[in-house]
Amino acid sequence: MKKVINDPNGVVSEMLEGMVLAYPEKLRQLEGTTVLVRKDAPVTGKVAIVSGGGSGHEPSHAGYVGRGMLDAAVAGEVFTSPTPDQVYEAIKAVDSGAGVLLIIKNYTGDVMNFEMAAEMAEAEGIKVAKVIVNDDVAVENSTYTTGRRGIAGTVFVHKIAGAKAEKGASLEEVEAVANKVITRVKSMGIALSPCTVPAVRKPGFEMADDEMEIGMGIHGEPGTERTKMKTSREIAELLVEKVLAELEFTNGEEAAVLINGLGATPLMELYIFNKDVAELLKQKGVKVYKTFIGEYMTSIEMAGLSLSILKLDEELINLLDMPVDVVGW
Amino acid sequence: MKKVINDPNGVVSEMLEGMVLAYPEKLRQLEGTTVLVRKDAPVTGKVAIVSGGGSGHEPSHAGYVGRGMLDAAVAGEVFTSPTPDQVYEAIKAVDSGAGVLLIIKNYTGDVMNFEMAAEMAEAEGIKVAKVIVNDDVAVENSTYTTGRRGIAGTVFVHKIAGAKAEKGASLEEVEAVANKVITRVKSMGIALSPCTVPAVRKPGFEMADDEMEIGMGIHGEPGTERTKMKTSREIAELLVEKVLAELEFTNGEEAAVLINGLGATPLMELYIFNKDVAELLKQKGVKVYKTFIGEYMTSIEMAGLSLSILKLDEELINLLDMPVDVVGW
Amino acid sequence: MNQEDFKKWIKQVNERIQEQKEYLSELDGAIGDGDHGVNMARGFQEVVNRIETFENPDIGALLQQVAMTLIGKVGGASGPLYGTAFLKAAGVLKGVTECTQSDLILALEEGLKGIKMRGKAEVGDKTMIDVWEPLLSKWKENPETSLKELKAFTAECMEGTRHLEAKKGRAAYLGKRSIGTLDPGSVSSYILFDTLFSNLEDVAS
Amino acid sequence: MNQEDFKKWIKQVNERIQEQKEYLSELDGAIGDGDHGVNMARGFQEVVNRIETFENPDIGALLQQVAMTLIGKVGGASGPLYGTAFLKAAGVLKGVTECTQSDLILALEEGLKGIKMRGKAEVGDKTMIDVWEPLLSKWKENPETSLKELKAFTAECMEGTRHLEAKKGRAAYLGKRSIGTLDPGSVSSYILFDTLFSNLEDVAS
Ligand SMILES: Nc1ncnc2c1ncn2[C@@H]1O[C@H](COP(=O)(O)OP(=O)(O)O)[C@@H](O)[C@H]1O
Ligand SMILES: Nc1ncnc2c1ncn2[C@@H]1O[C@H](COP(=O)(O)OP(=O)(O)O)[C@@H](O)[C@H]1O
Ligand SMILES: [Mg+2]
Ligand SMILES: [Mg+2]
Ligand SMILES: [Mg+2]
Ligand SMILES: [Mg+2]
């Protein structure tokens, strides 16, 4: 394990400190917690939005805290959901009386810890709503299992729900638009190399020089399938097909495309991959309204990428285009 | 070599195509060249700014093309300076009559190719000025040698000269402020792993699991020294000391700090590193006006980072804070 | 078992978790995200730090503190699950200072209910429930089963998770690829019960 | 040497550059950025593609085309340097259809001047100049030197760059660490001259 760190067990707190030191005009840390909130939280009259999860996905989630997006981000240990007390502190700190929306990625741990926090907050009389993001089409959907994971598409939920809340919508309205995004965003990823949780000191799995994982999550967990390394074009074909299979574009609906790097994959490769994706989408008659390329939801230093496609409508376009003042967008 | 690419010899053109497809409202490719220009170039009456260099430094340089920064970026092959004809095409395309400033990083190849292009453009009656960035303090300064390299500090030159030009300054004024930034910005980097030029298919050098390179350039070339892996704190001490040794902060002058990831190093580590840098700067009485953390000037998928410090004054603060409309800032 | 015996048990669980930390993480690395050992080790170390000074003879109060510490320190899926289990068990043993075997079985059954309520998983989903549920039914139905036999059965249940396809938790995303590896939560649950039975042996002798 | 001989020489240079592409890049990887072989191979391949159909017997015109192709295709430091060298040599041989040894030496000397003007390096800086300059002075001073001897001397000059500390070009940033590796540009220059001398042997025989 080679990382620019000090104590492998202290990465989360040092990272949060480093963020607040870098962006003191945007972020504030709740003392004694791993919660970063908007400098001006709670914002009077505004529905507050709280998200979070394990660390290791930077700039998610604290990178999306700020005007127009999240009010608080709760950071767990690396790849480990934060505990209910931390989430509860976040909720209390950002609620201005208008209620709090929790944006949760669909992992057993995240769901349970956030739910317990919501129960605690509700017991204190705070209005809490929850949405659960499950955009990863790599896994079959099934009510019998846990259902699908939440991966990079989550940032569209942050962006759009955040814009809606900023405009003064009610908790129900913000929750509704978040759920709308969730039904309309699908994602899938691949990985070329594993990553190393600092406290564990070695990679979660091994991978040969000519292999890749398809259907990668964002926690260093293996994907759904391992194959020989493919070209950008082949990967694009695979992901575009899987993602589009679940999204029907009719009447000239437009798409927002997110090409997300998992950590070690350079922008050069993401741009090349976008060329292939853009060409395929054009062939398939999907019109791209806006493309986002970069690191939005990472897996520490894993090499790989994910493709997310969000089917837009007028409301979503307006909210997507609203200005934000955050580090990571 | 494991990369999301198609043809190792075609990465530059596919990447540029992918960028233009992603940002059609910002960027335009000059046909038959590797030059990306502002969509609305040439901008009437405005001094134009052209930069560029080898590819592999994404988002540099095309990521800085747009209102408030560069008018054109010329992309060479990976880590190889672009040829004079390409630079010449860029100059011609963006000049509106007010003249063109070339921002060149101090590498023999870049300097020679850009100079030849300038000679060609001047022969056509275009006013051309050149500035040469040499911010890397890892190498001793000496008139006898090539002098110092230009690395990540270059993006401050782009930003500030770009803002000045956008405000309508003359070629002489834009050149002057660019040179002012150059004398006031110092940088130094370290690397934890080598990178692989796609056409070469294997890393430029090898590195053991417990080693790091100090004084790293941005072309996969070795650093000035190899040592045992250090902690974030130790690296921060080393770089802060070397960089500050060349910058005198007096009368409460403030600093802009850039913590630049070389490609594979995750934001988590950059944030941790910033904590150490910020603490050291505070100890040394240097006031940080603004911190930038992320990938600004990369070395394909190299792991490592660089620290740049720019000594500000009122003019530079105003220009640094001016809005830009580019992909990479 | 009195409060002291419970404390001793929890401390021994912690010791074994610390010993097996890397093994648990390795199992989780194969089919999950590789943090189960780290999570459990962090949580149980803190539990032991806190109960060190716990004087109240009320076993329920002790388990309540264990629960709150696990909930606040473990995180991930296992934190709320083990936390809820201890919380529910604590409810049963509130005010109890001397716990009989049937009290214990009752408390653990409540704990299992808590796990199922919180995680919505069932037997066969390749989770810790595949240890808890068959073990507790067997013990309840045959309270006379020897501790040795119970230990062997716990190991068997844990081993049984190897051939299952995960339906809940992170490993579920692997589908058939999750077959062939033990479920890490079942291994930590095995440690919990195996240590409990060793302790009961000590108490009995 | 006539235009055909020059074409043949350039083609042979290309063949050897293609063969040695990885070796040149490896040398550059050790003390530079690892692209010298790729740069040279890209440029000379294009040169050969273009001169294939070149009919004009004017050697100066041929070298002018070689120069422009190198300038437009190689990039990096070596592109402008080799490009300028051929451009200056072309100037000397403008209108020449049959080139004598002294014409050739004169043209190459102009080329060297071009390299030095463009790159501002001197002998001892660990660049291609450490092959060009000593070789051309020796040849000029002793025009009777045998081709075999010239070849040996070229190799010697190239070898001589190994113990030098680089002062110009990318390798200069390595300081003392650049000592111990051949300068890649000196190796490509060695190929250029070694192939030239082989060709002159052929022409002579
Ligand atoms: N829904 C669930 N019900 C019961 N146990 C579960 C459930 N989900 C996961 N588990 C248990 O939790 C273990 C994983 O815990 P851990 O690795 O600490 O958390 P995470 O999966 O969040 O990283 C699994 O091995 C499994 O035994
Ligand atoms: N200033 C200079 N004068 C003469 N030759 C130089 C100079 N700088 C570099 N070179 C030559 O160029 C070679 C490197 O070429 P190349 O790798 O293609 O370009 P780059 O260094 O831009 O990657 C060096 O080995 C050296 O021989
Ligand atoms: Mg986890
Ligand atoms: Mg180069
Ligand atoms: Mg886990
Ligand atoms: Mg080179």
Side-chain angles (χ1 to χ4, degrees):
Chain A
M1 180 178 75
K2 230 198 284 192
K3 291 178 190 274
V4 180
I5 57 173
N6 295 303
D7 169 13
N9 294 306
V11 291
V12 175
S13 67
E14 291 195 24
M15 165 181 89
L16 296 175
E17 234 184 287
M19 286 191 84
V20 174
L21 284 164
Y23 311 112
E25 73 294 350
K26 287 197 177 69
L27 301 174
R28 179 162 58 85
Q29 182 162 13
L30 295 186
E31 228 193 283
T33 73
T34 55
V35 178
L36 298 193
V37 300
R38 267 174 79 150
K39 188 63 177 260
D40 57 351
V43 182
T44 317
K46 191 183 89 68
V47 168
I49 304 188
V50 174
S51 191
S55 293
H57 307 305
E58 294 68 32
S60 290
H61 300 83
Y64 302 123
V65 171
R67 193 167 39 74
M69 239 164 142
L70 304 180
D71 294 84
V74 192
E77 287 297 316
V78 178
F79 292 167
T80 300
S81 323
T83 53
D85 49 316
Q86 301 285 314
V87 181
Y88 173 58
E89 292 299 329
I91 296 172
K92 276 196 305 184
V94 298
D95 179 46
S96 72
V100 179
L101 176 71
L102 305 184
I103 299 177
I104 310 170
K105 291 191 291 315
N106 191 28
Y107 298 98
T108 314
D110 286 39
V111 173
M112 293 189 298
N113 285 289
F114 276 78
E115 263 174 5
M116 289 170 81
E119 289 163 16
M120 290 158 79
E122 280 162 348
E124 297 276 314
I126 300 177
K127 269 201 297 180
V128 179
K130 291 169 301 193
V131 297
I132 295 185
V133 188
N134 58 353
D135 54 321
D136 186 358
V137 299
V139 187
E140 281 317 306
N141 215 351
S142 151
T143 47
Y144 177 50
T145 66
T146 307
R148 287 172 160 171
R149 295 178 287 213
I151 57 172
T154 307
V155 300
F156 282 130
V157 186
H158 293 165
K159 173 68 186 74
I160 288 170
K164 189 84 182 176
E166 202 69 44
K167 285 177 82 167
S170 70
L171 181 57
E172 291 68 31
E173 289 167 331
V174 177
E175 180 185 1
V177 84
N179 276 320
K180 182 172 168 185
V181 175
I182 290 170
T183 59
R184 297 165 76 110
V185 65
K186 305 291 169 202
S187 307
M188 186 163 156
I190 57 109
L192 310 191
S193 76
C195 59
T196 301
V197 174
V200 176
R201 286 162 205 256
K202 56 183 180 202
F205 55 91
E206 310 244 307
M207 218 167 195
D209 243 17
D210 60 345
E211 286 180 340
M212 61 183 280
E213 288 274 333
I214 297 179
M216 201 62 204
I218 51 170
H219 299 87
E221 65 271 48
T224 52
E225 197 190 329
R226 182 168 294 196
T227 62
K228 290 276 162 218
M229 185 63 202
K230 294 176 189 291
T231 64
S232 167
R233 181 76 187 193
E234 289 163 344
I235 296 167
E237 277 165 6
L238 192 104
L239 299 191
V240 166
E241 190 188 308
K242 281 281 233 169
V243 167
L244 282 191
E246 311 242 346
L247 285 175
E248 224 178 307
F249 282 84
T250 45
N251 314 320
E253 278 161 326
E254 292 180 272
V257 172
L258 167 62
I259 291 173
N260 172 57
L262 291 183
T265 290
L267 274 174
M268 172 188 277
E269 296 175 38
L270 301 183
Y271 291 140
I272 291 173
F273 182 69
N274 181 58
K275 176 191 153 281
D276 293 314
V277 167
E279 283 173 1
L280 289 167
L281 290 178
K282 194 171 176 191
Q283 270 173 31
K284 292 180 193 290
V286 176
K287 206 173 151 215
V288 177
Y289 174 72
K290 208 163 192 167
T291 306
F292 300 84
I293 303 179
E295 295 182 354
Y296 288 82
M297 180 74 77
T298 59
S299 287
I300 327 182
E301 77 285 28
M302 180 174 278
L305 55 80
S306 64
L307 169 69
S308 301
I309 298 183
L310 167 63
K311 191 166 73 168
L312 296 165
D313 64 8
E314 217 186 295
E315 181 191 24
L316 298 186
I317 287 180
N318 288 335
L319 294 169
L320 189 62
D321 284 345
M322 264 184 62
V324 276
D325 183 26
V326 301
V327 171
W329 187 255
Chain B
M1 180 179 75
K2 229 198 285 192
K3 290 179 190 274
V4 180
I5 57 174
N6 296 303
D7 169 13
N9 294 307
V11 292
V12 174
S13 67
E14 292 195 24
M15 165 181 90
L16 295 175
E17 235 185 287
M19 284 191 85
V20 174
L21 285 164
Y23 312 111
E25 74 294 350
K26 288 197 176 69
L27 301 174
R28 179 162 59 85
Q29 183 162 10
L30 297 185
E31 229 192 281
T33 72
T34 55
V35 178
L36 299 193
V37 301
R38 269 174 77 151
K39 189 65 177 259
D40 57 352
V43 182
T44 317
K46 191 184 87 70
V47 168
I49 304 188
V50 173
S51 191
S55 293
H57 306 306
E58 294 69 32
S60 292
H61 300 84
Y64 301 122
V65 171
R67 193 166 40 74
M69 238 163 143
L70 305 180
D71 294 82
V74 192
E77 287 297 318
V78 178
F79 292 165
T80 300
S81 323
T83 54
D85 49 316
Q86 301 286 314
V87 181
Y88 173 57
E89 292 300 327
I91 295 173
K92 276 197 304 185
V94 298
D95 179 44
S96 72
V100 179
L101 176 71
L102 306 184
I103 299 177
I104 310 170
K105 292 191 288 319
N106 191 29
Y107 296 99
T108 314
D110 286 40
V111 173
M112 292 190 298
N113 285 289
F114 276 78
E115 263 175 5
M116 287 169 83
E119 290 163 15
M120 290 158 79
E122 281 162 347
E124 297 278 313
I126 301 177
K127 266 200 300 179
V128 180
K130 291 169 300 194
V131 296
I132 295 184
V133 188
N134 59 353
D135 54 320
D136 186 358
V137 300
V139 187
E140 280 316 306
N141 215 351
S142 151
T143 46
Y144 176 50
T145 66
T146 307
R148 286 173 162 169
R149 297 179 284 215
I151 57 172
T154 307
V155 301
F156 283 130
V157 185
H158 294 165
K159 173 68 186 75
I160 287 170
K164 189 84 182 178
E166 203 68 46
K167 286 178 80 167
S170 70
L171 181 58
E172 290 67 31
E173 289 168 331
V174 176
E175 179 185 1
V177 85
N179 276 320
K180 182 171 167 186
V181 175
I182 290 170
T183 58
R184 296 166 77 108
V185 65
K186 304 291 168 204
S187 307
M188 186 163 156
I190 58 109
L192 310 191
S193 76
C195 58
T196 300
V197 174
V200 176
R201 288 161 204 257
K202 55 184 181 202
F205 55 90
E206 311 245 306
M207 217 169 199
D209 243 18
D210 60 344
E211 287 179 340
M212 60 182 281
E213 286 274 334
I214 297 179
M216 201 62 204
I218 52 170
H219 299 87
E221 66 271 49
T224 51
E225 196 191 329
R226 184 168 293 195
T227 60
K228 289 278 162 218
M229 185 62 202
K230 295 176 187 290
T231 64
S232 167
R233 180 76 187 193
E234 289 163 344
I235 297 167
E237 277 165 5
L238 192 102
L239 299 190
V240 166
E241 189 188 308
K242 281 280 232 169
V243 167
L244 283 191
E246 311 242 345
L247 286 174
E248 222 178 308
F249 282 84
T250 45
N251 314 319
E253 279 162 323
E254 292 180 271
V257 173
L258 168 61
I259 291 173
N260 172 57
L262 290 183
T265 290
L267 274 174
M268 173 188 278
E269 295 175 37
L270 301 183
Y271 291 141
I272 291 173
F273 182 70
N274 181 57
K275 176 190 153 282
D276 292 316
V277 168
E279 283 173 1
L280 289 166
L281 290 178
K282 193 167 176 196
Q283 270 174 31
K284 293 181 193 291
V286 176
K287 208 174 149 213
V288 176
Y289 174 71
K290 209 164 192 167
T291 306
F292 300 84
I293 303 179
E295 295 182 353
Y296 289 81
M297 180 74 77
T298 59
S299 287
I300 328 182
E301 77 285 28
M302 180 174 278
L305 54 80
S306 64
L307 168 69
S308 300
I309 299 182
L310 167 63
K311 192 168 70 168
L312 296 165
D313 64 8
E314 217 186 295
E315 181 191 24
L316 299 186
I317 287 180
N318 288 334
L319 294 169
L320 189 63
D321 283 345
M322 262 185 64
V324 277
D325 183 27
V326 300
V327 171
W329 187 257
Chain C
M1 276 175 92
N2 61 23
Q3 184 254 35
E4 276 304 316
D5 298 322
F6 273 92
K7 264 195 182 173
K8 198 170 140 209
W9 169 44
I10 299 292
K11 280 189 204 166
Q12 283 169 357
V13 170
N14 180 46
E15 275 161 29
R16 282 184 63 182
I17 294 276
Q18 302 299 337
E19 275 165 34
Q20 307 283 312
K21 176 171 145 179
E22 298 209 347
Y23 171 59
L24 290 170
S25 287
E26 243 163 58
L27 289 174
D28 196 30
I31 58 171
D33 59 350
D35 61 355
H36 188 57
V38 178
N39 291 346
M40 294 295 284
R42 183 179 52 242
F44 271 90
Q45 187 55 56
E46 185 65 19
V47 163
V48 166
N49 295 348
R50 291 199 196 161
I51 62 173
E52 205 62 72
T53 55
F54 195 87
E55 305 267 288
N56 187 342
D58 180 344
I59 296 168
L62 176 77
L63 295 188
Q64 164 101 16
Q65 201 196 47
V66 171
M68 293 316 291
T69 309
L70 291 177
I71 290 172
K73 277 288 157 180
V74 177
S78 45
L81 290 168
Y82 280 119
T84 305
F86 275 93
L87 203 62
K88 297 292 176 186
V92 174
L93 299 178
K94 199 167 185 169
V96 174
T97 54
E98 194 58 57
C99 165
T100 65
Q101 178 173 316
S102 60
D103 292 343
L104 185 58
I105 294 177
L106 221 66
L108 290 170
E109 277 190 322
E110 271 314 298
L112 169 60
K113 275 188 211 153
I115 292 175
K116 293 178 79 170
M117 179 270 294
R118 191 48 75 202
K120 301 183 184 70
E122 293 296 334
V123 158
D125 287 353
K126 192 169 185 138
T127 70
M128 55 177 73
I129 293 172
D130 292 314
V131 169
W132 284 69
E133 185 154 319
L135 175 65
L136 292 178
S137 350
K138 184 189 179 88
W139 201 12
K140 185 171 190 181
E141 277 161 37
N142 314 289
E144 304 302 294
T145 319
S146 77
L147 292 166
K148 199 173 154 214
E149 214 175 306
L150 286 171
K151 284 180 122 182
F153 187 69
T154 315
E156 215 173 278
C157 292
M158 168 185 79
E159 262 305 323
T161 64
R162 190 189 297 277
H163 71 274
L164 291 174
E165 181 180 338
K167 299 288 180 199
K168 288 281 152 63
R170 240 179 248 289
Y173 306 120
L174 279 183
K176 299 231 175 296
R177 280 178 90 186
S178 65
I179 296 172
T181 304
L182 294 180
D183 169 56
S186 298
V187 178
S188 56
S189 288
Y190 161 79
I191 292 175
L192 201 78
F193 286 110
D194 189 66
T195 311
L196 174 66
F197 297 137
S198 297
N199 247 276
L200 290 177
E201 274 169 2
D202 292 356
V203 173
S205 68
Chain D
M1 276 175 93
N2 61 22
Q3 184 254 38
E4 277 305 316
D5 298 323
F6 272 92
K7 265 196 182 173
K8 197 168 141 213
W9 168 44
I10 300 291
K11 280 190 205 167
Q12 284 169 357
V13 171
N14 179 46
E15 274 161 30
R16 283 184 62 182
I17 294 276
Q18 302 299 336
E19 274 165 35
Q20 307 283 311
K21 176 171 145 179
E22 297 208 349
Y23 170 59
L24 290 169
S25 287
E26 239 163 61
L27 289 174
D28 195 31
I31 58 170
D33 59 351
D35 61 356
H36 188 57
V38 178
N39 292 346
M40 294 296 286
R42 183 177 54 242
F44 270 90
Q45 188 56 55
E46 185 66 18
V47 163
V48 166
N49 295 348
R50 291 198 195 162
I51 63 174
E52 204 64 71
T53 55
F54 195 88
E55 303 268 287
N56 187 342
D58 180 344
I59 296 170
L62 177 77
L63 295 188
Q64 164 103 13
Q65 202 197 48
V66 171
M68 292 317 290
T69 310
L70 290 177
I71 290 173
K73 278 287 157 182
V74 177
S78 45
L81 290 168
Y82 280 119
T84 305
F86 275 92
L87 203 62
K88 297 290 176 186
V92 174
L93 299 178
K94 199 168 186 170
V96 175
T97 55
E98 194 58 59
C99 164
T100 65
Q101 177 172 318
S102 60
D103 291 343
L104 185 57
I105 294 177
L106 221 64
L108 290 170
E109 276 189 323
E110 269 316 297
L112 169 59
K113 274 188 210 152
I115 293 174
K116 293 178 78 171
M117 177 270 292
R118 193 46 76 202
K120 302 184 183 72
E122 293 296 333
V123 159
D125 287 353
K126 193 170 185 135
T127 70
M128 52 177 75
I129 293 172
D130 292 313
V131 169
W132 284 70
E133 184 153 320
L135 175 64
L136 292 178
S137 352
K138 184 188 179 88
W139 201 12
K140 186 171 189 184
E141 279 160 34
N142 314 288
E144 305 301 295
T145 318
S146 76
L147 292 166
K148 195 166 156 223
E149 214 175 306
L150 286 171
K151 285 180 119 182
F153 187 68
T154 316
E156 214 174 279
C157 292
M158 168 185 81
E159 262 305 322
T161 64
R162 189 189 297 278
H163 71 274
L164 292 173
E165 181 180 337
K167 299 287 180 201
K168 287 281 152 65
R170 241 180 248 289
Y173 306 120
L174 279 182
K176 298 233 176 296
R177 280 179 90 186
S178 65
I179 296 171
T181 304
L182 294 180
D183 170 55
S186 298
V187 178
S188 57
S189 287
Y190 162 79
I191 292 176
L192 201 78
F193 286 110
D194 190 64
T195 311
L196 175 66
F197 297 137
S198 297
N199 247 277
L200 291 178
E201 274 168 2
D202 292 356
V203 173
S205 68

